[in-house]
Amino acid sequence: MAKAYERIADDLRDRIHAGELRPGDRLPPETTLVEQYGKSLPTLRQALGLLQTEGLIEKQHGRGNFVRQPRTPVFRTNLRHQWEKDRAREPEDERKATGATEHDTGLELDDLVFYAAYADIEADEELAEIFGVPTGTSMLQRTYRTRYSAEDHPFSLVVSYLVREVVAANPELLDAGNEPWPGGTQNQLFTIGIELDRIEERVSARPPTAEEAEELGLPPGTALIVLGKTSYDTAGRVVEHSFVRLPGDRTELNFTTPLERW
């Protein structure tokens, strides 16, 4: 037999799915719900906590509990890399028309708010091993955030690294003011004569830190998808590496692997 808090959660969940409580609606005050269901406040809060964990409601400090607005889903496939490479040598007007985020979300360029910040850092042991360079090598660190203008949280948290000496061949690549760059990283590398041969991606999942959960607006209990993306040029050299953190409640990863015929 279902416990009291589960029955309360079931009823509120049914009301949300039926459209009686719509996205953005404020739930009745907790005192009202206690009277309505005839249960204690701790029992009610267990029910609300369950719905928060499911991502159906969110508690806004000082305001109450609200039906959670559905977030824009992101469908990310590894075929996006060939799509980006095909565009890398296209005219600027065509590259400006759409980018990877629009490709993954179905949104238009005007729907998006983009943020980029660049910093010069020294390679730590992890980056030095990834790039095959000495520890302390000067690196260009690029931080990206892109969100739907109608939402408060970005689609992902991205930090990208390049060897500064390599990209300095084109000074425009050192200026965050040139972002968003039409054609993205593959076109940026094309401007300095680099063609990508392959991209390796390693995917794992873990609980988010408090800071990650806040920045991505993750419901309690939502996993963080962590993607490490390493780009190799045609000489087998690592030319770019990104750490991409994706919200597990609205990101779908799809990997297609062509197989050679017998």
Side-chain angles (χ1 to χ4, degrees):
M1 183 175 177
K3 297 179 180 179
Y5 80 90
E6 293 173 328
R7 293 196 298 272
I8 296 172
D10 287 344
D11 183 64
L12 290 171
R13 188 187 300 108
D14 288 344
R15 293 167 64 184
I16 291 171
H17 288 160
E20 180 183 341
L21 292 169
R22 295 173 296 180
D25 283 353
R26 182 178 183 273
L27 271 63
E30 292 181 359
T31 53
T32 301
L33 292 173
V34 164
E35 293 179 5
Q36 177 183 333
Y37 291 107
K39 299 298 179 182
S40 67
L41 182 59
T43 298
L44 173 72
R45 286 181 173 168
Q46 274 189 289
L48 296 177
L50 180 59
L51 296 177
Q52 288 177 24
T53 300
E54 294 174 4
L56 289 176
I57 68 171
E58 57 186 358
K59 188 175 184 66
Q60 297 182 14
H61 183 68
R63 298 189 62 209
N65 296 289
F66 290 78
V67 180
R68 191 167 181 254
Q69 295 278 4
R71 303 290 172 78
T72 303
V74 176
F75 181 76
R76 183 183 177 110
T77 168
N78 59 327
L79 299 179
R80 77 201 300 263
H81 305 310
Q82 185 61 56
W83 178 80
E84 289 180 291
K85 184 171 183 177
D86 291 342
R87 296 172 66 251
R89 295 182 295 172
E90 295 294 335
E92 183 174 347
D93 287 346
E94 184 166 339
R95 286 185 279 112
K96 279 184 175 180
T98 185
T101 301
E102 299 95 280
H103 180 266
D104 292 346
T105 62
L107 296 172
E108 300 293 333
L109 183 61
D110 291 342
D111 294 327
L112 301 175
V113 178
F114 184 84
Y115 166 84
Y118 285 12
D120 290 328
I121 67 162
E122 293 184 353
D124 58 14
E125 290 184 3
E126 181 179 14
L127 285 176
E129 182 177 356
I130 289 171
F131 282 87
V133 297
T135 302
T137 296
S138 181
M139 309 290 295
L140 180 65
Q141 175 184 274
R142 309 181 302 173
T143 300
Y144 297 116
R145 303 287 186 269
T146 305
R147 65 175 176 85
Y148 179 25
S149 58
E151 299 174 354
D152 296 328
H153 304 286
F155 297 114
S156 60
L157 311 178
V158 181
V159 183
S160 167
Y161 297 93
L162 302 160
V163 176
R164 194 182 193 284
E165 183 181 21
V166 173
V167 296
N170 180 356
E172 292 186 353
L173 301 184
L174 303 175
D175 184 0
N178 292 321
E179 296 281 6
W181 186 283
T185 296
Q186 291 213 43
N187 178 264
Q188 290 174 321
L189 295 173
F190 170 67
T191 69
I192 52 176
I194 292 175
E195 177 188 357
L196 294 191
D197 174 72
R198 71 187 189 278
I199 294 174
E200 293 181 358
E201 294 178 293
R202 296 176 177 84
V203 181
S204 60
R206 61 170 171 80
T209 65
E211 292 79 9
E212 290 166 339
E214 181 178 4
E215 188 168 3
L216 289 169
L218 298 179
T222 303
L224 186 76
I225 301 171
V226 182
L227 187 151
K229 180 175 75 71
T230 308
S231 300
Y232 296 81
D233 69 5
T234 53
R237 174 183 56 166
V238 174
V239 290
E240 188 268 347
H241 183 80
S242 297
F243 295 103
V244 184
R245 289 164 290 169
L246 301 155
D249 64 332
R250 53 190 184 274
T251 303
E252 179 179 346
L253 302 178
N254 180 278
F255 298 98
T256 301
T257 305
L259 300 177
E260 294 184 4
R261 301 232 180 145
W262 286 325

